[in-house]
Every structure is written in structure tokens, then in C-alpha cells.
Amino acid sequence: MSAVLDDMDSRPGSTTSLLRTVIGLYLRDAGGWMSAKDIVALMDALGTSGTVTRTALGRLRKKEVVLQETRDGVPGFTLTDGAATMLARGDRRIYNPRSMSLSDPWCLISFSIPETEREKRHQLRRRLHWIGCGTVAAGLWICPDTLRTEVEEILIDLALRDMSTIFVTETPLVGGSLREAAAKWWDLEAVAGLHKDFIREHGAQGHDAVVPEPSGSAVEASPEAFSTYVQCIDRWRIIPYLDPGLPSAFLPEDWPGAEGKALFSRLVAAFAEPSAEFVRSTLSGGVRVS
């Protein structure tokens, strides 16, 4: 499982990250398997050559995201069990970003790990960070209680559950302001930067996008719609992991999160179905990508 989580390090916009996003969006809808030729065709619509795509597929195999599988003599790829679980959890994060109210409970994770297990300690801190936990002290982390199940899974996966204690609590009582405390526990500047990058990169597309009527899509299925949607998801997908969705009382007054979420929702409404239709047409041979 940890190997799959390592793929979160892929830089948004890189070939490996875009390929991972394409696979996450469409391989399951294609029946859980996609031919190598079709994957290459989809990545070609993103401006990536077949050679580069095959190299990136090799990276995802090493990261245990995909498995090579031949069906009816056609080489292709399917998801590993760990990747399928991760993507299902990712769907919930990506399309339903967290947003706490001040009355929601918190989860505190206390652990004491001996020096002989320092590599596991490093992995634990890294993985808690990647799901949006904040650091109160070296052995005390905090997150919304909605993440408690994921925290438990990480502790069990690393065989550290017996070295840790989980507390469920109300809003912490801090010496200064909640905003000052949150700024120490989380790197909110970095998370704000991710939102601002997303807004800067996709704001014009969101402004021009016409949200479809219930009767049909206002955007035509095309390589351009596919490229817009995949790049939108690729840049957005790490934000709901690192953004804990703190209550407004914990956040700076100029926090860009609401604007980022609204823009993302608008882009999904405008481009998700046209992109999916382009993929369906490509896989059935109805569209030829240059």
C-alpha cells in the first residue's frame, strides 16, 4: 500500500502524474482493463508520445498502481487491488472536499516509536501529512475526526497501532488564537499556494465554461475537452488530500479554498461528461487521435 501512496509525489503536469490521472478516471469505467494501445492513444491527446507513455507505465507498474495483463492476445493493464482501494478513496476526496464546522470533532494521534523503528516513524509522519494531518508536536498529530479510519489503516499497515493512542476531542483549547495554532500545525501557506496555482491555471477555463443544461452538454466531446478535464483533475487531486478543510475560524481571512472549490465544481460540471464521451469514442475506435 505504501508504494501506491508514493505516487502522490508525482508532480502535477508530469507524464507519470497525467497517466495516473487518466488511469484513475477511466480504467475502471472501461471494465477494469485497458489495452496499452488505447492508453497510448489517450495520452497522445495530451501531447505525450507513445515512447514516453510506455516509460511512465513502467513507473506505475513499479509503484504497484497497475499490472500488465494480456486479454485475447492484446497487451493491456489492470489496477492492483491496492490502487483500486486508493482510487475509490481518492474519488471521495476529489469530488467531495472536506469542510469542517467549528462543532465537528477532532482526532488526536499520539505515538511513541523507539529509535530502532525510526524508518517506520518517518513513514508514519509522511503518510499522516499526506492525508491532511497537522503536527502539534513531534509525537502528537491532529486531523478532522472524519479521517480517523484512514489514520487507523495507516497505523495498522505500518504495524504501529500498539505504539499509538487515538483521542477524539472537541475544539482544542489553545493559548493564543485558533488561527495562530493552525498556522503552526499545518503548512497553510503551501496549501493556499496549491489553491492559487489551480485558480491561476484554470480560472480562465472556468470563467468561459458553460455549465450544461440537464438535457445535454454545452461542451462537445473532443481532445480539447478531454485535455482540459484531465489537466484540471491532475492539478486538483492532491489539494483535497493536503487541505484538511479547517473551519473558517482556523483560517486566514483571505483563504482561497472556497474559490478553488467553486472553480473545480464548475469545471467538473462543464467538462466531465464531454471528456468521458471522448474516451468512450476513442476506446471504441470512433475517434482517431493524431
Side-chain angles (χ1 to χ4, degrees), residues 40-284:
V40 167
L42 292 175
M43 290 297 291
D44 188 54
L46 298 172
T48 303
S49 71
T51 300
V52 174
T53 295
R54 291 184 181 91
T55 299
L57 279 167
R59 293 194 188 102
L60 293 188
R61 284 179 61 195
K62 290 180 180 178
K63 290 176 179 291
E64 301 176 16
V65 175
V66 295
L67 293 171
Q68 200 161 15
E69 182 179 308
T70 298
R71 295 189 179 180
D72 299 324
V74 179
F77 292 86
T78 187
L79 289 171
T80 64
D81 290 342
T85 300
M86 177 196 68
L87 290 172
R89 183 165 54 233
D91 288 344
R92 296 190 293 271
R93 285 285 188 90
I94 290 169
Y95 297 105
N96 298 285
R98 292 164 292 178
S99 183
M100 287 185 72
S101 70
L102 201 56
S103 61
D104 288 339
W106 295 85
C107 172
L108 293 174
I109 310 104
S110 174
F111 54 85
S112 180
I113 302 171
E115 187 62 20
T116 54
E117 299 279 11
R118 60 183 176 275
E119 178 56 31
K120 284 188 178 182
R121 185 170 59 210
H122 169 72
Q123 290 183 48
L124 176 59
R125 289 172 176 166
R126 182 179 181 279
R127 291 172 65 171
L128 290 177
H129 166 74
W130 269 116
I131 66 168
C133 296
T135 311
V136 179
L140 182 63
W141 288 58
I142 186 171
C143 65
D145 189 53
T146 52
L147 289 177
R148 194 192 334 160
T149 299
E150 290 185 42
V151 170
E152 291 267 18
E153 289 174 354
I154 291 171
L155 292 170
I156 292 169
D157 188 45
L158 294 174
L160 295 175
R161 188 61 186 90
D162 60 346
M163 299 181 190
S164 59
T165 303
I166 290 176
F167 302 89
V168 178
T169 180
E170 297 179 351
T171 301
L173 302 177
V174 297
S177 71
L178 293 174
R179 285 192 172 113
E180 290 170 341
K184 294 176 182 176
W185 298 344
W186 285 274
D187 188 350
L188 293 180
E189 286 189 14
V191 178
L194 292 173
H195 279 290
K196 291 174 182 177
D197 287 345
F198 180 79
I199 294 165
R200 182 171 55 250
E201 185 73 19
H202 296 285
Q205 295 165 332
H207 181 268
D208 296 337
V210 178
V211 179
E213 298 293 333
S215 58
S217 175
V219 178
E220 292 186 0
S222 65
E224 292 75 23
F226 169 75
S227 178
T228 294
Y229 187 60
V230 169
Q231 292 184 60
C232 161
I233 298 295
D234 186 62
R235 184 170 288 277
W236 174 262
R237 68 180 178 85
I238 66 169
I239 297 176
Y241 277 90
L242 294 175
D243 185 346
L246 300 178
S248 58
F250 284 73
L251 296 169
E253 292 184 1
D254 59 350
W255 184 249
E259 183 181 355
K261 290 176 185 178
L263 171 60
F264 175 74
S265 295
R266 185 172 178 81
L267 289 167
V268 170
F271 290 99
E273 181 51 34
S275 177
E277 178 58 32
F278 170 77
V279 172
R280 288 191 289 268
S281 298
T282 300
L283 299 189
S284 67

